[in-house]
């Protein structure tokens, strides 16, 4: 009887069980430099995930960035800071980009997410969102509500995708690289989409379909780029030949205190490693004092990583809290001790006789150098 009912439903309403198609069915608008058709955060094809795509810019760079999903946009905002005054979402129905803040969003429907655990579709008209909600379930939210939902689940979404990549993509990508590719150094590229474009345009690995190209790019970016896989919530990776440009010590010897500044130079991303926050901040305030680093400034810096004292995980320095004047010493004596959340910093301050808890913007050059005099 159940089989008869199912067949009847399919005949009467075949669209009821139809899978939602995310790829473009109209002319695709590509806005990134050189018509790059891949997401700078996930590497996913904008064409394949056109109906979940977004456009924005960074605060520090006015070039357009095109994302495969709202989750990718949220990751970019967390890492690099996007210009929230300019965000465009693709209206699912018209397949045209609209002001994201005026749109209506279907969140957590039965449609599989593009990246992570939270699926988001944008609609220019609320009635269209209601029609899709009736068909696919889910909640209708405003832009701020949708973004907040994605941001709250960001860590679990990233971890979820990385687990999938470990199972399905990295080994496949490695096999493709060893069998079909010329030598490729992923450190020569600033974004994963730049890497994919180079591989595709220059035919570095022969002809690859999107599935194989994505697996290869993920392997190169997540695994080969650092010599081993490093997730956003794991430790700061320092190679054995890296020396702190301020004190000259080998930084790999002090993983508990490792810090890094990443910057763009001549079209590529590079980094310098430090044996503690104190030396990193000395360099940050005056790069040219420590060498010919006049090309490193606040505009060229892409991220700054420090090591959370308790978890030993890599965290963005500009989002961290630092305890000054404690009785805990680093490789270079008194240190600014980093934490990912303020409560941990406050508790550490009480336990270890610290004098202040500072956010990144509150750190002053004079106070950094005063730590040497204690």
């Amino acid at each position: 009887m159940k089989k008869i009912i199912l067949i009847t439903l399919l005949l009467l309403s075949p669209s009821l069980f139809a899978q939602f198609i995310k790829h473009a069915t109209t002319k695709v608008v590509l806005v990134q430099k050189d018509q790059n058709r891949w997401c700078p955060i996930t590497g996913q094809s904008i064409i394949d995930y056109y109906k979940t795509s977004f456009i924005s810019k960074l605060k520090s760079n006015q070039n357009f960035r095109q994302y495969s999903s709202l989750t990718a946009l949220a990751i970019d905002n967390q890492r690099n800071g996007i210009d929230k005054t300019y965000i465009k979402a693709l209206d699912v129905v018209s397949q045209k980009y609209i002001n994201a803040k005026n749109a209506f969003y279907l969140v957590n429907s039965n449609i599989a997410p593009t990246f992570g655990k939270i699926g988001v579709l944008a609609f220019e008209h609320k009635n269209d969102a209601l029609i899709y909600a009736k068909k696919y379930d889910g909640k209708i939210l405003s832009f701020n509500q949708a973004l907040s939902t994605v941001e709250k689940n960001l860590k679990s979404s990233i971890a979820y995708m990385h687990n999938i990549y470990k199972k399905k993509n990295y080994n496949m990508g490695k096999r493709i690289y060893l069998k079909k590719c010329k030598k490729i150094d992923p450190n020569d590229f600033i974004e994963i989409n730049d890497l994919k474009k180079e591989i595709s345009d220059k035919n570095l690995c022969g002809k690859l379909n999107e599935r194989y190209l994505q697996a290869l790019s993920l392997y190169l970016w997540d695994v080969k780029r650092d010599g081993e896989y490093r997730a956003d919530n794991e430790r700061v990776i320092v190679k054995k030949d890296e020396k702190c440009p301020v004190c000259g010590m080998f930084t790999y010897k002090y993983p508990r205190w490792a810090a890094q500044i990443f910057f763009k130079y001549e079209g590529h991303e590079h980094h310098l490693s430090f044996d503690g926050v104190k030396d990193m901040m000395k360099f940050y305030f005056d790069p040219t004092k420590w060498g010919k680093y006049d090309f490193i400034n606040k505009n060229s810096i892409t991220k700054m990583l420090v090591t959370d004292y308790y978890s030993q995980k890599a965290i963005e320095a500009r989002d961290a809290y630092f305890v000054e004047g404690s009785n805990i010493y680093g490789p270079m004596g008194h240190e600014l001790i980093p934490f990912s959340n303020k409560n941990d910093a406050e508790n550490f301050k009480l336990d270890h006789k610290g004098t202040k808890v500072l956010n990144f913007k509150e750190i002053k050059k004079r106070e950094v150098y005063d730590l040497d005099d204690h």
Side-chain angles (χ1 to χ4, degrees):
M1 179 63 72
K2 289 182 179 179
K3 288 184 178 180
I4 294 172
I5 293 172
L6 179 60
I7 292 170
T8 303
L9 285 171
L10 286 169
L11 290 171
L12 292 174
S13 183
S15 63
L16 184 65
F17 297 92
Q19 186 177 9
F20 179 77
I21 297 172
K22 294 181 181 179
H23 66 71
T25 55
T26 61
K27 184 178 180 181
V28 174
V29 175
L30 297 174
V31 299
Q32 297 184 105
K33 185 179 178 182
D34 298 326
Q35 296 288 290
N36 195 309
R37 63 183 187 273
W38 293 284
C39 175
I41 301 301
T42 68
Q44 292 171 311
S45 166
I46 299 299
I47 297 171
D48 288 348
Y49 298 100
Y50 198 56
K51 291 182 182 177
T52 62
S53 65
F54 287 76
I55 296 173
S56 190
K57 304 175 184 178
L58 297 183
K59 291 178 181 178
S60 59
N61 188 328
Q62 290 302 296
N63 291 331
F64 290 113
R65 292 165 75 79
Q66 204 161 4
Y67 308 98
S68 59
S69 66
L70 186 60
T71 299
L73 180 147
I75 293 171
D76 204 20
N77 184 48
Q78 184 184 73
R79 291 177 181 173
N80 302 308
I82 66 169
D83 180 359
K84 287 190 175 181
T85 65
Y86 186 94
I87 304 175
K88 300 287 185 182
L90 194 94
D91 171 36
V92 170
V93 177
S94 68
Q95 294 185 53
K96 294 180 180 179
Y97 284 104
I98 58 175
N99 187 327
K101 294 182 180 179
N102 296 335
F104 301 90
Y105 295 86
L106 181 61
V107 179
N108 279 330
S109 69
N110 294 328
I111 297 168
T114 294
F115 183 93
K117 293 186 172 182
I118 308 297
V120 178
L121 297 178
F123 299 88
E124 183 175 14
H125 303 294
K126 188 173 184 178
N127 191 53
D128 290 334
L130 288 168
I131 291 170
Y132 274 74
K134 185 176 181 180
K135 185 174 182 179
Y136 296 108
D137 292 331
K139 293 182 179 180
I140 298 174
L141 303 176
S142 68
F143 174 75
N144 288 336
Q145 290 172 327
L147 181 60
S148 177
T149 301
V150 165
E151 288 175 336
K152 287 176 183 177
N153 291 274
L154 214 51
K155 285 187 177 180
S156 62
S157 286
I158 293 170
Y160 172 74
M161 294 305 298
H162 285 155
N163 284 333
I164 290 176
Y165 293 161
K166 286 179 182 179
K167 293 176 182 178
K168 297 183 178 181
N169 295 87
Y170 296 145
N171 288 335
M172 181 192 296
K174 183 177 181 179
R175 289 195 298 270
I176 294 169
Y177 180 69
L178 294 175
K179 185 177 181 179
K180 301 193 69 175
C181 299
K182 302 173 184 177
K183 184 178 180 181
I184 301 170
D185 186 352
N187 292 297
D188 288 340
F189 304 90
I190 295 173
E191 314 274 12
I192 188 173
N193 61 347
D194 295 329
L195 170 65
K196 283 190 78 169
K197 191 173 189 303
E198 183 92 349
I199 293 171
S200 178
D201 289 356
K202 295 190 176 179
N203 205 31
L204 299 181
C205 302
K207 189 174 181 180
L208 298 175
N209 62 30
E210 179 60 31
R211 180 191 173 203
Y212 290 155
L213 179 58
Q214 176 71 349
L216 171 63
S217 301
L218 288 170
Y219 163 70
L220 290 170
W221 198 252
D222 287 345
V223 182
K224 199 169 185 295
R225 188 169 181 243
D226 290 314
E228 60 180 283
Y229 171 68
R230 181 186 74 200
D232 290 283
N233 62 350
E234 292 181 344
R235 63 190 178 89
V236 175
I237 302 297
V238 179
K239 296 178 182 178
K240 286 191 175 182
D241 61 349
E242 293 186 76
K243 289 184 178 181
C244 174
V246 173
C247 70
M249 297 202 304
F250 284 103
T251 51
Y252 81 92
K253 295 181 179 180
Y254 309 99
R256 187 173 186 82
W257 304 94
Q260 291 176 325
I261 292 178
F262 288 76
F263 56 93
K264 294 178 182 178
Y265 179 60
E266 293 184 342
H268 302 297
E269 186 177 58
H270 308 268
H271 74 268
L272 293 170
S273 296
F274 305 84
D275 50 13
V277 175
K278 181 172 67 174
D279 278 0
M280 182 187 75
M281 294 309 298
K282 287 180 180 179
F283 185 93
Y284 175 78
F285 286 124
D286 192 6
T288 56
K289 181 176 180 179
W290 312 104
K292 296 180 180 179
Y293 296 113
D294 56 315
F295 49 85
I296 300 178
N297 52 56
K298 292 180 180 179
N299 291 327
S300 65
I301 291 174
T302 56
K303 62 184 173 182
M304 299 175 67
L305 298 181
V306 294
T307 303
D308 181 282
Y309 184 80
Y310 285 146
S311 69
Q312 288 297 285
K313 293 177 180 179
I315 56 176
E316 169 56 57
R318 290 167 290 189
D319 297 328
Y321 297 90
F322 302 85
V323 176
E324 180 181 301
S326 75
N327 57 9
I328 299 297
Y329 295 87
M332 297 299 292
H334 284 283
E335 262 294 354
L336 291 162
I337 314 294
F339 298 88
S340 61
N341 68 74
K342 195 171 184 178
N343 285 339
D344 285 349
E346 293 287 359
N347 291 334
F348 179 90
K349 173 178 171 287
L350 292 174
D351 293 341
H352 295 281
K353 300 178 181 179
T355 56
K356 293 180 182 178
V357 173
L358 305 169
N359 62 37
F360 183 84
K361 292 182 179 179
E362 291 172 329
I363 299 174
K364 306 299 180 185
K365 181 177 179 180
R366 176 183 55 79
E367 291 180 321
V368 172
Y369 280 89
D370 284 347
L371 290 171
D372 290 334
D373 299 326
H374 284 289

